[in-house]
């Protein structure tokens, strides 16, 4: 979660790392901004003409001063120059390191679907939804059969792509928004098809992102309802519910096009 959007995170701040970064910035100031009064005081009482990067941490100093001096290791880890380290945010991103970028970030952060459904999509893309195959890997003794089709082991790829119930739902939803259905049976290829369809700032791309997000959430919740409440709905009923929600939540600039779309019986 605490990584930039471009690498698949939610851009939340890692408070532990941010705290270390701010202390490291103060340490850099201590070594390079000798005109400050508090820095002159620390230099006079603790540093005493020593090199900050080599000096032992003074045991008689306060806890705060010891933490500031000890953070010199963080500066070395970031491989910052001795002259300028930039802002705290730049140092923070440097400490995060170079992480691999993801191709699906546009599915999440330009999406007008409900926030809980966007978060569910993020879990799906990360492969972190607790599908039955993952629960078994965690040591749970459960029936691994998919509850929607009763025919195969429940995995992410099966539940959202290969399950006969999911295939019917996607067929009805894609027909409703007048898009061709994906013929891919491989998750990576299917995801790339979604990414290509969702690219851009057009109303059609915006509607497609929202519908895919809401449909994925509806499919996951239908699976949960069937397991925990023993309630089953047909894919036609679920598709109509998705259509209703999308008509309500669509952004204003795409509302006119959304209202022109009719559910094909």
């Amino acid at each position: 979660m605490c990584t930039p959007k471009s690498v698949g995170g939610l851009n939340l701040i890692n408070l532990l790392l941010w705290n270390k970064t701010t202390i490291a910035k103060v340490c850099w100031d201590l070594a390079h901004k000798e005109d400050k009064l508090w820095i002159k005081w620390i230099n006079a009482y603790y540093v005493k003409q020593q090199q900050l990067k080599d000096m032992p941490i003074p045991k008689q100093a306060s806890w705060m001063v010891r933490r500031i001096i000890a953070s010199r290791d963080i500066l070395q880890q970031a491989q910052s120059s001795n002259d300028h380290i930039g802002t705290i945010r730049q140092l923070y991103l440097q400490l995060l390191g170079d992480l691999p970028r993801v191709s699906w970030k546009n599915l999440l952060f330009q999406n007008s679907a409900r926030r809980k459904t966007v978060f569910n999509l993020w879990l799906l893309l990360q492969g972190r939804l607790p599908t039955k195959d993952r629960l078994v890997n965690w040591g749970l003794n459960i029936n691994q059969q998919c509850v929607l089709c009763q025919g195969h082991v429940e995995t992410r790829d099966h539940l959202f792509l290969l399950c006969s119930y999911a295939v019917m739902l996607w067929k009805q939803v894609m027909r409703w928004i007048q898009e061709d259905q994906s013929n891919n049976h491989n998750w990576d290829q299917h995801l790339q098809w979604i990414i290509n369809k969702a690219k851009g700032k057009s109303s059609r791309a915006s509607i497609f992102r929202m519908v895919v997000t809401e449909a994925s959430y509806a499919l996951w919740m239908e699976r949960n309802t069937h397991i925990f409440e023993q309630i089953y709905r047909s894919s036609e009923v679920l598709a109509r519910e998705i259509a209703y929600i999308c008509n309500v939540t669509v952004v204003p600039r795409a509302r006119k096009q959304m209202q022109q779309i009719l559910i094909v019986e």
Side-chain angles (χ1 to χ4, degrees):
M1 289 188 180
C2 298
T3 52
K5 298 175 182 179
S6 59
V7 299
L10 297 181
N11 212 28
L12 301 178
I13 293 177
N14 183 330
L15 294 178
L16 178 61
L17 184 59
W18 184 267
N19 185 51
K20 291 180 178 179
T21 304
T22 54
I23 295 174
K25 182 64 166 64
V26 173
C27 181
W28 185 89
D29 291 344
L30 181 61
H32 296 85
K33 295 185 177 181
E34 298 180 357
D35 57 324
K36 303 290 184 180
L37 181 60
W38 70 272
I39 292 177
K40 290 181 179 179
W41 182 83
I42 291 178
N43 281 323
Y45 279 88
Y46 300 117
V47 180
K48 298 178 180 178
Q49 306 302 320
Q50 302 178 81
Q51 290 292 326
L52 188 63
K53 63 180 181 179
D54 300 321
M55 65 172 285
I57 298 176
K59 295 181 179 180
Q60 74 277 18
S62 67
W63 173 85
M64 182 173 60
V65 172
R66 293 199 305 271
R67 285 296 302 274
I68 291 173
I69 297 175
S71 66
R72 61 195 174 185
D73 296 335
I74 297 176
L75 292 177
Q76 294 174 1
Q77 177 187 341
Q79 297 180 340
S80 301
S81 68
N82 291 328
D83 299 324
H84 183 66
I85 64 169
T87 64
I88 293 176
R89 176 170 175 78
Q90 289 170 337
L91 179 58
Y92 170 77
L93 293 175
Q94 210 171 353
L95 291 174
L96 277 177
D98 293 327
L99 301 172
R101 293 176 176 268
V102 297
S103 58
W104 41 259
K105 69 170 187 175
N106 66 310
L107 297 180
L108 300 179
F109 302 106
Q110 300 175 14
N111 197 324
S112 59
R114 295 171 295 168
R115 294 301 93 191
K116 62 181 179 181
T117 67
V118 174
F119 182 70
N120 185 80
L121 180 64
W122 179 77
L123 291 175
L124 171 61
L125 295 172
Q126 295 279 7
R128 294 183 180 178
L129 284 176
T131 49
K132 288 186 176 181
D133 62 321
R134 297 191 73 218
L135 295 177
V136 168
N137 289 336
W138 294 344
L140 275 69
N141 184 17
I142 59 173
N143 181 0
Q144 297 186 58
Q145 195 173 50
C146 174
V147 295
L148 298 180
C149 70
Q150 304 292 334
H152 297 274
V153 172
E154 182 188 277
T155 64
R156 178 194 64 177
D157 296 13
H158 171 77
L159 182 61
F160 291 94
L161 180 60
L162 303 175
C163 174
S164 57
Y165 184 95
V167 170
M168 285 300 300
L169 179 65
W170 287 119
K171 181 179 179 180
Q172 289 154 358
V173 169
M174 290 298 116
R175 184 172 61 180
W176 165 51
I177 61 173
Q178 300 169 15
E179 289 283 358
D180 295 330
Q181 188 176 6
S182 169
N183 294 320
N184 295 311
H185 299 290
N186 174 274
W187 174 260
D188 292 333
Q189 294 175 357
H190 178 69
L191 177 58
Q192 190 57 53
W193 175 80
I194 292 175
I195 292 170
N196 293 337
K197 288 283 187 179
K199 278 183 178 178
K201 299 181 179 180
S202 66
S203 297
R204 192 170 188 84
S206 176
I207 291 172
F208 186 84
R209 284 192 296 270
M210 177 183 58
V211 169
V212 166
T213 305
E214 293 287 353
S216 299
Y217 177 78
L219 192 55
W220 178 248
M221 293 305 296
E222 183 65 24
R223 173 260 192 199
N224 291 343
T225 302
H226 194 78
I227 291 175
F228 299 111
E229 300 179 23
Q230 289 75 50
I231 297 175
Y232 182 84
R233 294 182 296 175
S234 67
S235 59
E236 290 83 0
V237 172
L238 197 59
R240 288 184 175 277
E241 181 179 291
I242 294 167
Y244 171 78
I245 292 172
C246 290
N247 272 290
V248 171
T249 58
V250 66
V251 293
R253 64 183 177 83
R255 189 174 301 278
K256 184 176 180 180
Q257 182 168 349
M258 175 64 80
Q259 291 173 347
Q260 292 173 349
I261 299 175
L262 299 176
I263 299 179
V264 179
E265 297 291 343

